[in-house]
Amino acid sequence: MEPLYSQQLLLFDALGGGFRTIRLRPRQPQCAVCGENPSITALIDYELFCGSRADDKDKRVDILDPELRVSPQEYSEVVSGGKPHLLLDVREEVEYQICHLPHSRNIPLCHLQNGSLDATWEWILETTPTANDPTYSVFVVCRRGNDSQLAVKLLCEHGKAKGRGEEVVIRDIIGGLVAWSETVDPLFPKY
């Protein structure tokens, strides 16, 4: 007797509480893995084959000069010291809704890349109490500190091109919200 689920895949939907089956095609005689004369007979080393680690999806970017970056602890001191500043969160809106630091404003990186640099600079300048105040900064944060670096670079380059580069200091928070959670606030959600 043939097994009940031969050539079928049983799927369970835990959210909906239902089951369904998907019919699988029969074994193909020419298949390199399960065919009559398989050419692949052992698993390969992923890292060796691909030339990168299996967990390299969040590879760290390092494109900014050190003076344009602050640690989460340094930013925490700005907040606890009550120093006036702006916090720009460049994650997508759905990520921002999951969790965000108080008093941050969400302007996703894709919006900056697709033309809202002028509007963002106008907001920055309208919100800045006094131009050329060396103690006033705009801090940019994202999940891991990669997109925020790209945003700082875009904003600085655009600001210089428009003659606005000297008016305000824009800095990236190193390691983003993950580093914030690991070093400043362990109760801050990680996702």
Side-chain angles (χ1 to χ4, degrees), residues 22-33:
I22 296 175
R23 204 187 265 291
L24 301 176
R25 67 181 185 183
R27 191 179 98 178
Q28 301 294 310
Q30 304 305 320
C31 178
V33 176

Side-chain angles (χ1 to χ4, degrees), residues 2-164:
E2 193 170 309
L4 188 59
Y5 286 102
S6 177
Q7 292 187 335
Q8 293 184 11
L9 176 65
L10 175 66
L11 299 173
F12 172 64
D13 178 359
L15 187 60
F19 289 91
R20 70 181 187 156
T21 58
I22 296 175
R23 204 187 265 291
L24 301 176
R25 67 181 185 183
R27 191 179 98 178
Q28 301 294 310
Q30 304 305 320
C31 178
V33 176
C34 66
E36 293 172 359
N37 297 309
S39 59
I40 300 173
T41 58
L43 295 176
I44 60 170
D45 183 318
Y46 176 87
E47 293 180 10
L48 183 63
F49 179 76
C50 294
S52 62
R53 294 188 341 255
D55 62 351
D56 66 346
K57 299 296 182 228
D58 292 318
K59 193 176 221 177
R60 296 217 183 244
V61 172
D62 191 18
I63 60 173
L64 296 177
D65 292 332
E67 65 269 9
L68 295 177
R69 307 192 76 197
V70 297
S71 70
Q73 296 89 340
E74 290 170 311
Y75 177 69
S76 177
E77 291 170 13
V78 169
V79 172
S80 62
K83 296 177 185 172
H85 69 281
L86 295 177
L87 178 59
L88 177 61
D89 189 321
V90 295
R91 295 174 298 145
E92 292 297 320
E93 184 178 350
V94 68
E95 293 178 273
Y96 184 78
Q97 295 302 325
I98 293 170
C99 61
H100 57 271
L101 293 176
H103 311 294
S104 61
R105 174 154 180 191
N106 181 230
I107 301 177
L109 176 62
C110 66
H111 292 193
L112 297 175
Q113 292 170 324
N114 295 325
S116 70
L117 284 166
D118 282 326
T120 303
W121 262 104
E122 292 305 318
W123 169 71
I124 289 170
L125 294 175
E126 288 171 8
T127 314
T128 305
T130 32
N132 300 318
D133 181 353
T135 64
Y136 192 83
S137 291
V138 175
F139 295 94
V140 183
V141 71
C142 65
R143 182 171 178 238
R144 292 196 175 266
N146 292 339
D147 287 349
S148 55
Q149 287 185 74
L150 297 173
V152 168
K153 185 176 181 189
L154 278 172
L155 287 165
C156 289
E157 288 173 353
H158 187 76
K160 286 178 185 171
K162 298 285 187 172
R164 301 173 174 162

